[in-house]
Amino acid sequence: MLVLVANLGSTSFKYRLFRMDESGGEVIAKGGYERVTDHAVVIEDALATLQRDGIIASPDEIDAVGFKTVLGKDLSGCVIADQKTIDALDGFTAVAPAHNPPYAAGIRQFEKALPKARLVALFETAFYQWTSPAYYNYAIPQSWRDIGIRRYGFHGASHKFIAERSADLCGREDVAEIARRLYLDGPQAVSGKPFRVISCHLGGSSSVTGIRDGVAIGSSMGFSPQSGLPQNNRVGDLDSAAIPFAMRTLGISLDEAERQLTKESGLLGLSGVSNDARDIEAAAVQGNAAAQLSIDANVHSIRHWIGAFLVDLGGLDALVFTAGIGENGAGSRAAVCKNLEAFGIHLDPVKNAACRATEAVISTDDSPVKIIVIPANEELVLAREVYRKLS
Ligand code: AMP
């Protein structure tokens, strides 16, 4: 099955073409465009390029297109991308203004460009469909809840992959199979011991997710990807009273408050240096106190959420790090795991220092909790879900 994974930004279009079968998948072509003003033009160009390069004889050979959609109003899961999907994306444009419009437009454009292909949307919220009402309800009036304000959780594709792979690596093939088939069969009872994972997706955008028996129990991200941990330039969790107070005291408009919280906050806002973890680490090493504060605040927030899920899960089997900082940042991993031996979390400093962007167990051999680094590959995760959905 040929699956094209379309990554659509407001001014960008990137794609990877996968050949998928029972045993897995491989990328057979990839490409991308920046500073895009008309997505329809670059989609046509990408399909023409694949033909010209001899990758496909005709666009009709592409069986499916996968979209990593973010947030839908009253819709989640891994679904056939149709008008209902577009309406769901349009319904939450105000919450995900950078992500929803390009995907809604992209689905329409691929319907025209590839009329024979099956289009599949995998919502980033999909992994959290089975969380408990006690978790996902905010304590807000009913009228607010009626318009869809609740915790959703994001980075679902990445965390679901961690659910599968961590179970494989811990010898829990039963749970790995439940996790793989989750969007087809829903959660399944596990015979024997529960399998409990905390997955830390630490990158430009970051979240911590608790996973029991292959299914998410919650995420540090709530109603929008704005929440939870401090993000590269987005605020993370903030007391709701701070926004009206800042607007009145600083004399700024709601739009300006929103801009500052989405563009000038997070690790950038705290460090005043950069939104990139490498620059911030370099500045901290040079003695920049604000840079060090932003690292410390980030680590504190990650540990806060690990603590929350540790209690909710009633213990832990695996603590996983993924994405740019999780895979490469040995210093961040060490700081997150510091003094957690009482909870069975024993980091091996040598294995940790040696692990960079590769899959590895970095806990001591006798650590009750396995600490694992698992590289993220969100495009492959998406291609897999599309393949599972359609086969
Ligand atoms: P992602 O969003 O997963 O691509 O991750 C991007 C983040 O990973 C950026 O903040 C990078 O600074 C960070 N990152 C990438 N490589 C390293 C590294 N070697 N050490 C620390 N952070 C890194």
Side-chain angles (χ1 to χ4, degrees), residues 86-275:
I86 293 170
D87 292 344
L89 291 169
D90 288 345
F92 265 157
T93 291
V95 191
H99 296 104
N100 278 10
Y103 274 105
I107 292 168
R108 278 197 202 92
Q109 280 146 359
F110 272 103
E111 277 173 350
K112 288 202 194 92
L114 294 177
K116 295 199 173 142
R118 311 283 304 275
L119 308 185
V120 177
L122 173 63
F123 282 96
E124 285 287 66
T125 53
F127 193 36
Y128 305 95
Q129 293 171 86
W130 300 280
T131 54
S132 73
Y135 160 76
Y136 69 68
N137 273 292
Y138 289 118
I140 47 179
Q142 184 64 47
S143 57
W144 291 43
R145 284 178 275 150
D146 288 345
I147 58 171
I149 299 176
R150 48 162 280 184
R151 291 182 196 279
Y152 289 101
F154 296 87
H155 292 139
S158 173
H159 290 296
K160 178 173 181 284
F161 177 65
I162 299 303
E164 299 172 17
R165 191 67 195 137
S166 61
D168 282 331
L169 293 170
C170 292
R172 291 297 302 261
E173 183 47 41
D174 57 333
V175 176
E177 190 56 16
I178 289 171
R180 276 191 277 276
R181 295 189 54 84
L182 186 62
Y183 299 151
L184 306 174
D185 300 341
Q188 303 294 314
V190 166
S191 53
K193 276 172 49 181
F195 183 61
R196 302 151 304 179
V197 178
I198 295 177
S199 170
C200 304
H201 177 112
L202 310 177
S205 175
S206 301
S207 65
V208 176
T209 287
I211 306 168
R212 181 188 288 119
D213 297 338
V215 187
I217 62 158
S219 163
S220 56
M221 280 179 169
F223 177 54
S224 80
Q226 273 282 85
S227 51
L229 312 178
Q231 312 293 338
N232 58 357
N233 55 4
R234 290 175 280 127
V235 61
D237 282 344
L238 176 72
D239 188 321
S240 61
I243 299 173
F245 177 75
M247 287 170 61
R248 289 182 192 118
T249 311
L250 300 174
I252 56 175
S253 66
L254 181 58
D255 284 350
E256 177 57 12
E258 195 171 27
R259 191 192 68 75
Q260 292 185 14
L261 291 173
T262 52
K263 300 273 193 289
E264 296 180 354
S265 298
L267 302 182
L268 171 66
L270 266 179
S271 69
V273 170
S274 166
N275 65 6

Side-chain angles (χ1 to χ4, degrees), residues 201-205 275-279 281 323-325 328-330 356:
H201 177 112
L202 310 177
S205 175
N275 65 6
D276 190 296
R278 279 164 296 196
D279 301 337
E281 270 175 33
I325 301 169
N328 296 289
R356 197 156 272 242

